Amino acid sequence: MDEKQRFIQEYVPGTQLTLAHVIARPSTLVCEQIGIEGECDAIGILTITPGEAVIIAADVATKAASVGLAFVDRFGGSLVMTGDVSSVEAAVGEVSHYFSINLHFTVVPTTRS
């Protein structure tokens, strides 16, 4: 008789950058629906735990490239930035690099759509 194994998975907040995504040239509808007004060439989205670390991410991003901050949620750990495609990519890349090397966070690869 085969024994069944049970796996229990738990989410334990740690020091993680769990989403790093760049949306290049999103539709106007997407920008409007998430509350971004004006030019919306690219959107960068990051989620980080602990949530307060998004303050550091916002600082690193704005120093790395010419991006605007559309949303900073220090409780939920979300950061949304806008700018031209190359600036948003540079900012997301620099945040990922900084969090990996300097803060020793676990970092996911950057994705793009």
Side-chain angles (χ1 to χ4, degrees):
M1 180 161 69
D2 292 331
E3 266 189 54
K4 291 185 179 182
Q5 292 184 341
R6 182 187 308 195
F7 294 96
I8 299 173
Q9 295 180 329
E10 293 182 33
Y11 172 73
V12 179
T15 51
Q16 304 169 328
L17 193 153
T18 56
L19 175 68
H21 188 79
V22 175
I23 302 173
R25 295 174 184 76
S27 73
T28 305
L29 181 60
V30 170
C31 296
E32 290 172 358
Q33 289 297 311
I34 63 174
I36 298 173
E37 297 176 5
E39 288 292 315
C40 186
D41 193 41
I43 301 170
I45 306 165
L46 300 169
T47 56
I48 302 167
T49 57
E52 296 83 3
V54 299
I55 299 166
I56 299 167
D59 180 58
V60 171
T62 55
K63 288 177 179 174
S66 181
V67 293
L69 301 177
F71 184 71
V72 179
D73 180 4
R74 64 188 167 108
F75 301 107
S78 300
L79 173 64
V80 178
M81 64 190 91
T82 61
D84 62 73
V85 176
S86 61
S87 294
V88 171
E89 286 179 333
V92 169
E94 184 58 29
V95 169
S96 294
H97 178 77
Y98 184 87
F99 273 62
S100 175
I101 300 302
N102 297 89
L103 300 179
H104 308 290
F105 274 44
T106 302
V107 175
V108 297
T110 300
T111 55
R112 181 180 169 166
S113 61

